[in-house]
Amino acid sequence: MKKEKSCGAIVYREKDGVEILLIKHKNGGHWAFPKGHVENKETEEETALREIREETGLKVKLDKGFRRSVAYSPKLNVWKDVIYFAALCDAGKTHAQPEEVLELRWEPPFQALQTVTYDSDREVLQSFLEYYQKKA
């Protein structure tokens, strides 16, 4: 079985409360978070920062205190691990990567939980929201 690894983050900003950045992926049209494959000898953190910058145009501050993983089989004979961190966006304008992203959207937590397509991503987001509240 082939193994794949991707890294990304729950990107959030603090603007009259917290807002979560969601992206609609071109591949499948599902709503989730910025993420992508580890390249060369990148660390998980380097991959997450690169993918966020490529897919959204944002430079963010990674919070390694939050780290969650999801594992699934995207296709026959492939097992994929996805590592998510939290990432604070202080400023900057989003710019969707046309090759991979159909749409970018900032949403309040309750709405983001409704928008996210997959249950596993919803669980990661719920876990982030609990983490965020404990930090506040």
Side-chain angles (χ1 to χ4, degrees):
M1 182 166 288
K2 182 181 173 193
K3 298 245 334 158
E4 294 181 355
K5 185 175 187 180
S6 289
C7 300
I10 309 297
V11 178
Y12 68 100
R13 68 182 179 188
E14 296 167 330
K15 183 179 179 183
D16 300 326
V18 67
E19 290 182 318
I20 309 300
L21 180 65
L22 298 178
I23 66 172
K24 188 172 188 179
H25 292 268
K26 213 170 191 175
N27 182 12
H30 62 284
W31 284 97
F33 315 108
K35 70 174 187 314
H37 288 92
V38 175
E39 293 180 359
N40 304 316
K41 295 185 189 279
E42 284 180 324
T43 65
E44 292 175 349
E45 295 87 351
E46 289 168 339
T47 300
L49 289 169
R50 177 182 51 76
E51 286 293 336
I52 293 164
R53 192 174 52 256
E54 286 176 1
E55 292 184 357
T56 72
L58 296 173
K59 288 187 179 180
V60 298
K61 183 176 178 185
L62 214 59
D63 178 352
K64 296 181 280 188
F66 179 85
R67 183 186 183 278
R68 299 295 181 276
S69 62
V70 174
Y72 63 98
S73 178
K75 52 190 167 199
L76 192 61
N77 293 320
V78 176
W79 190 252
K80 184 171 190 168
D81 291 313
V82 182
I83 309 300
Y84 288 108
F85 298 98
L88 175 63
C89 175
D90 282 331
K93 219 173 168 149
T94 57
H95 181 269
Q97 180 184 33
E99 299 82 15
E100 295 187 31
V101 178
L102 290 172
E103 186 179 343
L104 298 168
R105 184 187 301 174
W106 290 101
E107 293 189 350
F110 177 78
Q111 190 174 341
L113 284 165
Q114 306 300 312
T115 302
V116 169
T117 303
Y118 297 117
D119 288 340
S120 58
D121 289 337
R122 197 169 292 111
E123 289 166 13
V124 170
L125 178 54
Q126 186 63 52
S127 182
F128 163 75
L129 294 170
E130 291 165 12
Y131 171 81
Y132 179 80
Q133 285 197 315
K134 286 179 187 171
K135 278 182 49 172

